Each structure stands twice: as structure tokens, then as C-alpha cells.
């Protein structure tokens, strides 16, 4: 059920609309189903419609007129709440709608249970699927009704009603969603031949710049350099930055002035104070490992950081978990800028969908996710090249992170965030299938001889007895065997490496255990220093050439 609440100052006009059967086509049988005392006159069931309607208006306005004589009546004294059932819901009886109306006015403070001085109200049903509640906001004691946050309280009551009545449970928000484009903005974009509105275009641009910036100053520098976007930075008298606003070049209002959007009007987390909080003190991984001169693979670092997110969601407090979800959203924002063209659309859609799942009423403890944000920003100078195995590896983990985020939100009844995460999952899974189409088959072609395959199969059975059959029957098993052989040739103990990979995180959520293990083995094989076996690699195993042919660098956007 959906409630819409508004206010006004014309009781007669509101009642006239609710009982009108000429202008409104869906007003087929207007009549009262409930009222403040159960005895209100019903114009819809009276012989003299006009006289009864005037009597009903007078009864509703009684306390308003009394309050006016004492100068205490609010200017907008009417309260109007429409409640509509879903199309798939059964038709409720008048008695059921009456119960719903009483519960809503009680929950919102218009007519609290057991309060003889509550406001006067009526519930009008003029169509099978909805009712309207009309009330005046002056109580019998001539005080104005206390109905703050009436939309939220009505929404919570309707959620309980849906469960009790067996109705469709509507996906509900928590007022943290980005503001949707208005109909005027949508029509304007359509007239100009643009697929997205200025608000949506600017929101995507700003989010992507935040994902690659390492400081608030760098974010503003990047923003100032974007073609087609106008930027206005506001300062305090002290000279400190107060905020910013942006506009699409050429998008003007009727007066010919740019249509500006402040960061907070693009999304709640895009105000400059929120951006400054997120970008302060980001830990960027070192260019080289302290113990060696070898440059680490940024994709491996980002994957390792993302792989720890499900643990944070399960073990950390909510503020830390929310921070990691927000940081992961920044990782999704940056992927379309780095990925090949054929993956751009799916990755862009995944980022746009997950944007809604990145915010909730829980305030993020930003300093707990700086390492992850630093790993994400290290990717900005590492576009996808070669066979794209780094991106495929990251997307494999990203799918698991989104599943974990959906469960985390669901446990906290964040309905809109759950729906957004599920939508993002569809696009991420499609992107992963395309990204893995080249590196996995290429690795599988370098599978070791049969005797080595059997040797590694025994190790799988020893280390992962619960997953062994699933792994060995997986089409990705040859790629995993090749990764194990490649690691062994580099001097690693395959069994120890396999155990380490299995211990990193539970494998129960993986769609393909073999594929997930393949990416982990490849990453661990590069990250960990080989032991003594590096001095004398096993000569009985085939040497796997780790070199991967390089392709031209993907075009950056």
C-alpha cells in the first residue's frame, strides 16, 4: 500500500473533490467508510447530496472556526491522505478499509487511540482499490495536531497492515535515495534528444570523479576539467571551500541562466562536506612492496581488499559495514572508466543500480574503509589490458560482495537497497561472464599433463573434501589445474597455496568454486614470496609459461 499526504486550506473544496463523480472518472461510488465518531453525515448515501455535503463540511470545520476566534487556527488546516492498494491485491471490504483508516489516523497523530479530543476526520471510498482520508488539523481542545513525520509513521503502519492482511509488501525507502528527475526535466531531455536528464548525467559524472580522486582538492580539479560541465565553487569568508554546484553546458532555464545543481541535490552523499569526509586520509598502496622491487598488481590489491568486505558485513558493527559498502560502490563507479568498450554498458548499469544500495540511514564510519578506497584509486592508472584477467578476477569477487550486501540490507529491512543490489547483481554477473570469456579458456589451454592433473585433484580432495566433487566436475577445473601448476613452477607448495585460498573466505556463495579458486591461486601466487621450493622446482611437472600476450590498451573515457 502507498500513502500520499498533503495539506490545504479549503475543507469544502477537498470534500467536493472526494465526492465528485463527473470530472474524476474513477469516482464510481463515493461514500464514507469511517469517521472520527462513526456518525458523520455521508453525502454519498443521502437523498439531499448538497445539503448533506454542507453539513459534513461544517462538522469537520467546527474546531477550526472555534480556533480562529482565538487566533489559533493554522492557515493550512486540512490534512489529506490517500491510501492505494497494489493492483495485485484483492479488493478490500468497506469494513477492512475502515480499520485501515482508523489505524493510519491513530499512527500519524490525527486521531490517536483513546483520545476524545482528536481531530475530526472522514474516510471516503470512491473506487475499489483506494480510499481518501480528509481531516481538519485542529483538535477539540483547539490545539493543532502533532503529526510530524506523518508520512513515515503512516508508511510504517501500512507495512504492518500489508503483512496482517496478506497484501503485497511494497518496497519502501528510508529517504536516503537520490532525488529523481522531475517530469519537467524528463520532458526537457526528451525534447533535446538526450537519453538522460541533466541531473542524472551530472550525478554519474560526479560519482565517477569522487571514485578516482585521492583528495577533495583533486576532486574539484578533475571536475573543473570535464568538458560540457560548468562548475561554481562557493567559499566561506575565510576562503575555505563551502560547497560546489554544477550545470550541463547549454542547459538553461526560461531566463537563459544555467540550471545549477548543488552536490546535495544530486545525491545525499555528494555534498562537498560528505565528499571531503570520504576523501580525507585515503591510504594509497605503495608503488612497490617493501620487501622487493617488484611492482604489485593493482587489480590483485583491489580484489584482495574487496574480498574482505563480506567479513566486515558479518563481523563489524553497522557503521563500519556501511563504510565498506559505500567504498565498494566507488569501486563500481570507477570500473566503466577502465574497462573495454564491450563491458562499458553492463558495468555502468551495475554502478548506477548499486548507487542506491550504497546509502542507508546508518552513518558510515568512513575511516574504517580507507584502505579499500586507496586500493580502488590505485586502479585509475591501470586500465584493463592483456587478456583482462585482472578485471575478471575483481568481478568474480564483486558478485559475492553484492550478494553479501543484499543480505546485510535485508537483515535490516532496507527494502530499496535490497532491490538495488539485486538489480546490480544481474549486470555484474553478465559483465563477469564476458570478462572471463578470454582469460579462463586461455589458461585452460595450458593445463598440465594428466599425471599432474591427477596430482592436483588429490590435493583438492585433501584440502576441500566438501567441495572436491563440485570443483573437479566444473568446466573451469582445467584452468584451476593450470593455475596450480603455474604456481608450483614458480616455487609455491600447491597444497599450502590451495589451503590459503580456501581459508580466505567461505566458498559456499561462489557460483563456480573452481573459478573463484583459480583467481585466488593466481593472485596468491604473485603476492606471496615463494619458499625453499623456488630453489629447486619439481622437474616432474610441466613448466607453464606465465607470459600472457598483451593487447592494445583499452580506450579510457
Amino acid at each position: 500500500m502507498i500513502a500520499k499526504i498533503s495539506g490545504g486550506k479549503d475543507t469544502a473544496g477537498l470534500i467536493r473533490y472526494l465526492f465528485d463523480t463527473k470530472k474524476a472518472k474513477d469516482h464510481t461510488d463515493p461514500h464514507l467508510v469511517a469517521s472520527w465518531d462513526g456518525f458523520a453525515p455521508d453525502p454519498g448515501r443521502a437523498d439531499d447530496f448538497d445539503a448533506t455535503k454542507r453539513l459534513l463540511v461544517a462538522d469537520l470545520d467546527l474546531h477550526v472556526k472555534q480556533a480562529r476566534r482565538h487566533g489559533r487556527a493554522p492557515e493550512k488546516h486540512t490534512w489529506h491522505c490517500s491510501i492505494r492498494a497494489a493492483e495485485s491485491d484483492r479488493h478490500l471490504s468497506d469494513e477492512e478499509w475502515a480499520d485501515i483508516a482508523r489505524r493510519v489516523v491513530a499512527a500519524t497523530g490525527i486521531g490517536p487511540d483513546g483520545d476524545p479530543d482528536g481531530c475530526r476526520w472522514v474516510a471516503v471510498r470512491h473506487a475499489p482499490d483506494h480510499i481518501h482520508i480528509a481531516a481538519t488539523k485542529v483538535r477539540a481542545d483547539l490545539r493543532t495536531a502533532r503529526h510530524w513525520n506523518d508520512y513515515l509513521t503512516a508508511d510504517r503502519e501500512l507495512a504492518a497492515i500489508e503483512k496482517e492482511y496478506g497484501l503485497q509488501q511494497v518496497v519502501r525507502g528510508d529517504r536516503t535515495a537520490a532525488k529523481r528527475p522531475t517530469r519537467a526535466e524528463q520532458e526537457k531531455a526528451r525534447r533535446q534528444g538526450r537519453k538522460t536528464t541533466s541531473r542524472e548525467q551530472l550525478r554519474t559524472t560526479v560519482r565517477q570523479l569522487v571514485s578516482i580522486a585521492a583528495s577533495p582538492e583533486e576532486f574539484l580539479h578533475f571536475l573543473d576539467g570535464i568538458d560540457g560541465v560548468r562548475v561554481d565553487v562557493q567559499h566561506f569568508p575565510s576562503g575555505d571551500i563551502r560547497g560546489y554546484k554544477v550545470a550541463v553546458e547549454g542547459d538553461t532555464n526560461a531566463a537563459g541562466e544555467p540550471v545549477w545543481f548543488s552536490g546535495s541535490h544530486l545525491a545525499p552523499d555528494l555534498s562537498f562536506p560528505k565528499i571531503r569526509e570520504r576523501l580525507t586520509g585515503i591510504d594509497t598502496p605503495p608503488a612497490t612492496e617493501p620487501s622487493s622491487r617488484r611492482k604489485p598488481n593493482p587489480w590483485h590489491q583491489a580484489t584482495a581488499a574487496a574480498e574482505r568486505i563480506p567479513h566486515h558485513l558479518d563481523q563489524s558493527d553497522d557503521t563500519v559495514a556501511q563504510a565498506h559498502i559505500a567504498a565498494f560502490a566507488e569501486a563500481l563507479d570507477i570500473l566503466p572508466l577502465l574497462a573495454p568498450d564491450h563491458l562499458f554498458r553492463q558495468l555502468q548499469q551495475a554502478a548506477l543500480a548499486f548507487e542506491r544500495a550504497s546509502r542507508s540511514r546508518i552513518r558510515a564510519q568512513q575511516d574504517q574503509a580507507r584502505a579499500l578506497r586507496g586500493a580502488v584509486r590505485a586502479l585509475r592508472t591501470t586500465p584493463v589490458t592483456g587478456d583482462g584477467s585482472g578485471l575478471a578476477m575483481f568481478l568474480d569477487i564483486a558478485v559475492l560482495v553484492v550478494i553479501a550486501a543484499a543480505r546485510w540490507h535485508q537483515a535490516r529491512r532496507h527494502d530499496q537497497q535490497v532491490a538495488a543490489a539485486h538489480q546490480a547483481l544481474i549486470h555484474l554477473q553478465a559483465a563477469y561472464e564476458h570478462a572471463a570469456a578470454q582469460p579462463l579458456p586461455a589458461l585452460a589451454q595450458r593445463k598440465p599433463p594428466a599425471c599432474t592433473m591427477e596430482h592436483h585433484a588429490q590435493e583438492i580432495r585433501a584440502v576441500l573434501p566438501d567441495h572436491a566433487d563440485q570443483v573437479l566436475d566444473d568446466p573451469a577445473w582445467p584452468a584451476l589445474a593450470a593455475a596450480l601448476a603455474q604456481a608450483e613452477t614458480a616455487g609455491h607448495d600447491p597444497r599450502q597455496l590451495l589451503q590459503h585460498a580456501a581459508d580466505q573466505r567461505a566458498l559456499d556463495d561462489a557460483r563456480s568454486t573452481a573459478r573463484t579458486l583459480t583467481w585466488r591461486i593466481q593472485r596468491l601466487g604473485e603476492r606471496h614470496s615463494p619458499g625453499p621450493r623456488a630453489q629447486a622446482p619439481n622437474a616432474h611437472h610441466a613448466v607453464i609459461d606465465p607470459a600472457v600476450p598483451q593487447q592494445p590498451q583499452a580506450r579510457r573515457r
Side-chain angles (χ1 to χ4, degrees):
M1 287 187 160
I2 298 295
K4 293 184 178 180
I5 297 176
S6 59
K9 52 185 179 181
D10 184 4
T11 307
L14 177 57
I15 295 300
R16 182 168 56 251
Y17 163 74
L18 295 182
F19 283 92
D20 175 60
T21 58
K22 297 180 180 179
K23 296 182 179 179
K25 295 181 180 180
D26 63 342
H27 295 192
T28 55
D29 180 25
H31 60 280
L32 295 186
V33 295
S35 65
W36 73 94
D37 62 356
F39 299 103
D42 183 0
R45 294 292 184 264
D47 294 332
D48 191 336
F49 174 80
D50 291 333
T52 308
K53 183 176 65 175
R54 288 192 295 270
L55 182 60
L56 176 60
V57 172
D59 285 351
L60 287 171
D61 273 344
L62 175 63
H63 300 318
V64 176
K65 292 180 178 179
Q66 291 173 343
R68 279 178 181 160
R69 287 197 290 268
H70 295 83
R72 296 166 58 182
E75 181 182 359
K76 291 188 175 182
H77 62 269
T78 65
W79 186 85
H80 177 206
C81 175
S82 64
I83 305 173
R84 184 177 297 272
E87 293 183 3
S88 58
D89 287 339
R90 62 181 175 85
H91 284 178
L92 302 175
S93 66
D94 280 358
E95 292 73 19
E96 289 173 317
W97 277 118
D99 176 60
I100 292 171
R102 293 189 190 98
R103 291 177 62 170
V104 169
V105 295
T108 56
I110 294 296
D113 286 332
D115 184 355
D117 292 331
C119 300
R120 294 193 166 192
W121 60 272
V122 293
V124 180
R125 183 182 189 182
H126 52 213
D129 62 346
H130 69 278
I131 62 170
H132 293 259
I133 302 175
T136 47
K137 296 190 291 187
V138 178
R139 295 163 44 86
D141 55 14
L142 303 189
R143 291 185 297 136
T144 302
R146 297 168 62 92
H147 62 97
W148 297 303
N149 290 325
D150 49 9
Y151 173 78
L152 292 179
T153 53
D155 202 47
R156 282 196 293 266
E157 188 65 27
L158 289 178
I161 290 171
E162 289 168 352
K163 291 183 179 180
E164 295 177 23
Y165 278 74
L167 306 175
Q168 178 181 328
Q169 296 184 27
V170 175
V171 175
R172 289 181 157 80
D174 55 7
R175 292 191 172 184
T176 62
K179 185 177 180 181
R180 294 181 179 180
T182 65
R183 183 171 183 178
E185 291 174 343
Q186 294 173 334
E187 291 295 334
K188 185 177 184 180
R190 189 177 296 111
R191 290 194 305 269
Q192 296 175 348
R194 294 186 286 120
K195 295 182 179 180
T196 59
T197 64
S198 294
R199 185 191 302 271
E200 293 169 313
Q201 176 186 336
L202 292 169
R203 181 186 302 142
T204 300
T205 299
V206 171
R207 285 187 64 85
Q208 289 178 336
L209 294 182
V210 172
S211 72
I212 63 174
S215 68
E217 295 75 19
E218 189 175 44
F219 160 71
L220 292 176
H221 174 72
F222 287 159
L223 187 60
D224 190 53
I226 296 295
D227 292 337
V229 175
R230 301 186 64 174
V231 184
D232 182 15
V233 179
Q234 295 93 41
H235 296 81
F236 289 110
S238 63
D240 294 334
I241 297 175
R242 179 169 61 90
Y244 72 97
K245 57 183 180 179
V246 288
V248 173
E249 195 73 48
D251 184 16
T252 58
N253 56 23
E257 301 171 338
V259 179
W260 294 101
F261 296 91
S262 65
S264 59
H265 284 172
L266 296 178
D269 58 345
L270 294 183
S271 67
F272 188 75
K274 292 290 184 65
I275 291 175
R276 181 171 51 204
E277 180 183 6
R278 290 157 61 185
L279 297 183
T280 300
I282 291 179
D283 299 327
T284 304
T288 58
E289 296 177 344
S291 59
S292 73
R293 296 181 179 179
R294 184 180 52 159
K295 184 177 181 180
N297 187 318
W299 287 100
H300 290 190
Q301 291 179 304
T303 301
E307 194 168 36
R308 292 190 286 270
I309 295 177
H311 171 78
H312 288 296
L313 300 186
D314 291 337
Q315 305 297 329
S316 304
D317 63 48
D318 283 356
T319 59
V320 174
Q322 179 64 59
H324 282 83
I325 290 177
F328 176 72
E330 294 176 14
L332 295 187
D333 288 332
I334 199 175
L335 290 184
L337 304 177
L338 306 175
D341 290 342
H342 69 283
L343 297 177
F344 177 82
R345 180 179 174 276
Q346 291 291 358
L347 293 177
Q348 183 81 300
Q349 291 300 316
L352 292 175
F354 195 78
E355 181 261 350
R356 179 65 192 98
S358 67
R359 290 187 303 275
S360 71
R361 301 294 291 183
I362 298 171
R363 182 175 175 82
Q365 189 174 339
Q366 302 289 7
D367 59 344
Q368 293 296 318
R370 287 176 178 172
L372 174 59
R373 287 192 164 95
V376 169
R377 276 150 186 79
L379 295 176
R380 64 182 182 176
T381 57
T382 315
V384 178
T385 57
D387 64 351
S389 59
L391 175 61
M393 182 185 303
F394 183 85
L395 291 177
D396 179 65
I397 294 301
V399 168
L400 302 181
V401 172
V402 172
I403 292 174
R407 290 176 178 171
W408 186 84
H409 281 303
Q410 190 168 32
R412 288 149 186 82
R413 301 182 65 180
H414 300 165
D415 295 340
Q416 285 190 353
Q417 288 86 337
V418 172
H422 288 162
Q423 188 63 35
L425 184 61
I426 295 173
H427 296 293
L428 277 180
Q429 288 174 334
Y432 171 78
E433 295 298 335
H434 285 90
Q438 181 180 352
L440 279 179
L443 185 60
Q445 289 178 359
R446 302 198 297 274
K447 68 180 180 179
C451 60
T452 306
M453 291 275 290
E454 179 57 32
H455 171 71
H456 291 316
Q458 293 175 4
E459 293 170 336
I460 293 289
R461 294 188 183 95
V463 176
L464 298 167
D466 295 337
H467 297 278
D469 292 339
Q470 179 184 355
V471 170
L472 299 178
D473 292 337
D474 197 302
W477 160 235
L480 174 57
L484 287 168
Q486 179 174 305
E488 186 175 28
T489 301
H492 293 278
D493 183 334
R495 180 170 297 197
Q496 291 181 1
L497 205 61
L498 192 61
Q499 185 66 62
H500 192 178
D503 291 343
Q504 282 192 328
R505 194 196 56 80
L507 295 165
D508 297 334
D509 291 338
R511 291 199 303 161
S512 169
T513 305
R515 290 191 300 192
T516 298
L517 286 172
T518 299
W519 301 128
R520 291 185 188 177
I521 293 296
Q522 282 201 315
R523 189 172 71 255
L524 291 172
E526 287 193 13
R527 191 174 67 182
H528 291 279
S529 300
R533 293 171 61 90
Q535 306 299 324
N538 191 332
H540 295 289
H541 295 162
V543 176
I544 306 298
D545 181 7
V548 178
Q550 298 295 306
Q551 294 181 352
Q553 181 170 305
R555 176 177 60 85
R556 297 188 65 182
R557 297 172 182 80

